[in-house]
Amino acid sequence: MKEKINVAVIGLGNRGRGMLGTICMMDDVNVIGVCDAYEDRTQDGIKRVEKEKGVTPFGSTDYRDIFKLEGLDYYLIPTAEVPVTNYHRDEILDGKALAIEAMKAGIPAASEVGGAYTLEECWEVVDTYEKTGVWAMFMENCCYGERELMIHNMVRDGRFGKIVACS
């Protein structure tokens, strides 16, 4: 087992900045790349890693540069969507699309928030895994919290009767 894992963070909005701060507190994690479509966020990410880890990570506003980094163990993609109009493309990439690109690049990805929205999109991730052997994980934090799991178990135990609707 490796002493330290190498991580790149793609998406430095509010959620990404918070997750980057948490990662920077981990002694067994190296942050070797940061990326956001907005230059100021990328620079803030670089400065934070420099301050908290004492090293300067690679930084870019183009996620494709991050996918070329050597030595990565996984990508963290804490973004709902990435505007790529800066890259002369008229589209917005979501966490699922970025995770699939990471899988195709040979590096596992953990995507926060902007995962798959349809069953077909879920199958895209499964199909990509079957083709590449590289995993991706959707990290929806509200699924695994203590309260959520408690309610889930109460529903399974029938404590609420028959559930007919939920919002």
Side-chain angles (χ1 to χ4, degrees):
M1 180 178 239
K2 291 177 74 169
E3 272 187 47
K4 292 190 175 200
I5 59 171
N6 296 321
V7 176
V9 180
I10 300 172
L12 297 168
N14 188 46
R15 186 76 174 152
R17 285 190 303 269
M19 293 179 91
L20 180 62
T22 299
I23 291 170
C24 283
M25 292 188 285
M26 298 176 179
D27 293 332
D28 56 349
V29 178
N30 295 318
V31 179
I32 66 171
V34 294
C35 176
D36 194 276
Y38 302 100
E39 180 67 31
D40 60 325
R41 291 180 180 180
T42 299
Q43 291 305 314
D44 288 346
I46 290 170
K47 289 174 189 170
R48 183 167 201 170
V49 174
E50 286 174 338
K51 180 181 176 187
E52 297 184 29
K53 293 290 223 178
V55 296
T56 302
F58 174 77
S60 179
T61 57
D62 188 334
Y63 73 93
R64 293 169 293 199
D65 293 338
I66 298 298
F67 287 159
K68 297 174 189 172
L69 286 176
E70 297 282 329
L72 274 174
D73 295 306
Y74 83 91
Y75 297 99
L76 176 62
I77 306 169
T79 182
E81 54 190 33
V82 175
V84 290
T85 52
N86 295 3
Y87 313 121
H88 309 293
R89 293 165 64 184
D90 187 24
E91 65 180 309
I92 293 182
L93 294 180
D94 59 16
K96 182 234 359 135
L98 290 170
I100 286 175
E101 285 202 42
M103 295 164 74
K104 289 178 179 177
I107 303 295
S111 177
E112 173 78 15
V113 191
Y117 299 101
T118 67
L119 191 56
E120 290 78 21
E121 289 181 342
C122 291
W123 279 112
E124 284 181 62
V125 177
V126 172
D127 292 342
T128 304
Y129 169 76
E130 289 177 349
K131 289 175 186 169
T132 65
V134 177
W135 59 264
M137 175 183 174
F138 294 132
M139 303 185 314
E140 179 48 60
N141 57 318
C142 291
C143 295
Y144 307 106
E146 185 177 335
R147 291 181 179 145
E148 290 80 11
L149 291 175
M150 177 188 69
I151 296 297
H152 174 75
N153 286 325
M154 291 171 76
V155 169
R156 273 197 346 209
D157 289 345
R159 295 186 185 199
F160 301 113
K162 182 179 178 183
I163 305 289
V164 294
C166 187
S167 64

